[in-house]
Amino acid sequence: MRCTLFEREKYLNERRRDWNFGIYHAKPEFDECVPENIKDKLTSALVDPIRGLSEKDTFSMLNGQTGELLMDLPTPNALRLNRSKFRALIAEGLDIQYNKKLSGISCSDDSDSVAVRFEDGDSVTGNLVIGADGANSKVREFLLGPSKAALKPMSIFGCGALESLPAEISRKIRDVNDLYFVTYHPEGPCAFMAIHDVPDQSKPETWKWMFSLTWPDKDSPVPADAEAIRRNWIFWAEKLAEPFRSAYLAIAPSATIWCDRLAEWRTEPWDNRKGRVTLAGDAAHPMTYHRGQGLNNAIVDAAFLCRALNEHCFNSKSIEAALAVYEKEMQARGRAAVISSGENSLMVHDWEKLKQSPVFTMGLKPLQKAP
């Protein structure tokens, strides 16, 4: 099946903002989707290729006020991938057209084709549009309308940054957990750190870290400028135990820190225009990230969608019938994951409910294993 990816970025990894992510329960589906030539080079996209994978990997959860270990979640052989490196790897050999910002989609009743239009005036006609265009999906808006497709803001702010640390602090942070950890605080803030890049194993000052800082806030406007973001960052960082406090404060003067209110969209069925338009990934089930379910569900989507397309291409099932099977499973699973992730995010910012949250009771496992 011939396919083309239309990417709104002007070139690969144009966005300055980068991050890393983990593949946990979706590793079987990941293996199903990724060709061998990519798997052979996957180590190069790990956050620390020399460290590699370990059966003994854990995700440490700590008290942000005291530094006390609350729980170590086993995450054996977790794939912790550098986003920009991974994107570059999987882009190899694909037909990708860049600087293509979607402006419209058209489906006529007397044709089995679908046309998409772009802001640069170009248009393309095909048989299927798969909207994998993120949480603010334009394809979802086409399918459901602006009101029904809109994200629902949550009572949590989220900030993030990528930055190196002074050698001594960097070494102390990595001694906590050399891959990733999170701290929860009685006053509400949640601080997550993960190693992002290790250019030189012997020089901790070269190691780059991913920082996330979230806190409960129902009514305040999103901080409007870099200085306001920085003030919020410092306010909450001051409450953290060492060495987390020093790490967060060390980057405050110079780091580019992004900030936004977290949001979700609880998946609901859509009219796929007789099998011509569908959704996958964050476009289909945008969720909060405190239990690491977004990417893993997106990978399951990819595997199930490939199975559906194989049924169409090789077993003569109509595209409408094939997508109906895919969407029924994905929409139910996606909606449950969105709701559970949102509830978890609220609970990890509430000290009284923290240990009843899904991340404490279920870890990083799925709500139910996909068939």
Side-chain angles (χ1 to χ4, degrees), residues 13 17 21 27 33 54 60 77 92 122 132 161 184 192 199 208-209 212 238 242 285 295 320 322 331 352:
N13 293 326
R17 181 183 162 199
F21 38 61
K27 280 192 282 187
C33 293
S54 172
S60 299
N77 295 317
E92 292 179 10
D122 283 354
Y184 305 109
F192 170 88
K208 187 163 281 190
W209 292 91
S212 172
E238 290 278 10
E242 293 293 351
H285 40 65
L295 173 67
E320 191 170 359
Q331 289 167 355
E352 298 302 316

Side-chain angles (χ1 to χ4, degrees), residues 24-313:
Y24 312 110
H25 63 76
K27 280 192 282 187
E29 289 80 11
F30 181 81
D31 287 339
E32 182 180 336
C33 293
V34 177
E36 291 302 319
N37 66 307
I38 298 297
K39 290 178 190 175
D40 290 343
K41 295 182 268 188
L42 191 60
T43 298
S44 66
L46 294 175
V47 293
D48 186 350
I50 293 177
R51 176 193 183 278
L53 308 181
S54 172
E55 282 283 345
K56 297 180 180 180
D57 281 344
T58 62
F59 176 50
S60 299
M61 302 192 293
L62 305 108
N63 182 323
Q65 187 177 56
T66 66
E68 170 196 5
L69 179 67
L70 300 174
M71 182 184 291
D72 255 340
L73 286 179
T75 56
N77 295 317
L79 288 170
R80 195 77 198 173
L81 298 167
N82 179 304
R83 176 183 176 272
S84 59
K85 292 180 180 179
F86 181 60
R87 277 168 55 90
L89 179 61
I90 61 174
E92 292 179 10
L94 299 182
D95 178 12
I96 306 175
Q97 294 191 25
Y98 291 97
N99 200 21
K100 292 296 181 183
K101 297 180 180 179
L102 185 68
S103 64
I105 302 175
S106 302
C107 296
S108 61
D109 293 333
D110 57 356
S111 169
D112 60 359
S113 64
V114 54
V116 295
R117 300 180 303 280
F118 301 100
E119 291 182 6
D120 63 3
D122 283 354
S123 62
V124 179
T125 300
N127 301 109
L128 173 63
V129 171
I130 302 168
D133 51 337
N136 293 292
S137 171
K138 293 291 185 183
V139 180
R140 185 176 74 238
E141 187 174 305
F142 164 77
L143 289 170
L144 290 148
S147 179
K148 283 185 122 179
L151 291 168
K152 177 187 175 184
M154 299 189 68
S155 56
I156 302 170
F157 277 140
C159 286
L162 272 183
E163 194 59 83
S164 300
L165 288 165
E168 183 179 357
I169 299 175
S170 192
R171 194 178 290 109
K172 286 180 179 178
I173 289 293
R174 206 154 191 203
D175 285 345
V176 175
N177 185 306
D178 68 346
L179 198 58
Y180 50 6
F181 63 84
V182 66
T183 74
Y184 305 109
H185 195 288
E187 293 185 40
C190 173
F192 170 88
M193 287 185 68
I195 195 71
H196 182 74
D197 196 16
V198 184
D200 188 330
Q201 292 279 344
S202 66
K203 295 182 178 179
E205 68 273 19
T206 69
W207 304 345
K208 187 163 281 190
W209 292 91
M210 181 175 83
F211 294 75
S212 172
L213 182 61
T214 56
W215 64 88
D217 190 305
K218 186 176 181 180
D219 300 315
S220 300
V222 176
D225 55 55
E227 205 47 52
I229 293 172
R230 211 172 306 283
R231 283 196 301 271
N232 278 277
W233 183 275
I234 292 171
F235 174 82
W236 292 109
E238 290 278 10
K239 297 179 182 295
L240 300 176
E242 293 293 351
F244 321 119
R245 177 182 179 276
S246 291
Y248 275 76
L249 292 177
I251 74 164
S254 58
T256 298
I257 304 172
W258 57 264
C259 187
D260 209 345
R261 183 174 290 282
L262 302 194
E264 65 179 20
W265 181 74
R266 297 187 173 186
T267 312
E268 59 182 84
W270 54 78
D271 174 4
N272 65 24
R273 308 308 197 267
K274 299 181 179 179
R276 287 178 287 182
V277 186
T278 195
L279 300 172
D282 284 350
H285 40 65
M287 65 189 77
T288 55
Y289 43 74
H290 293 95
R291 207 168 72 83
Q293 297 300 296
L295 173 67
N296 285 267
N297 274 278
I299 292 169
V300 176
D301 293 351
F304 276 52
L305 183 53
C306 284
R307 295 177 200 175
L309 294 177
N310 282 338
E311 286 294 307
H312 170 62
C313 293

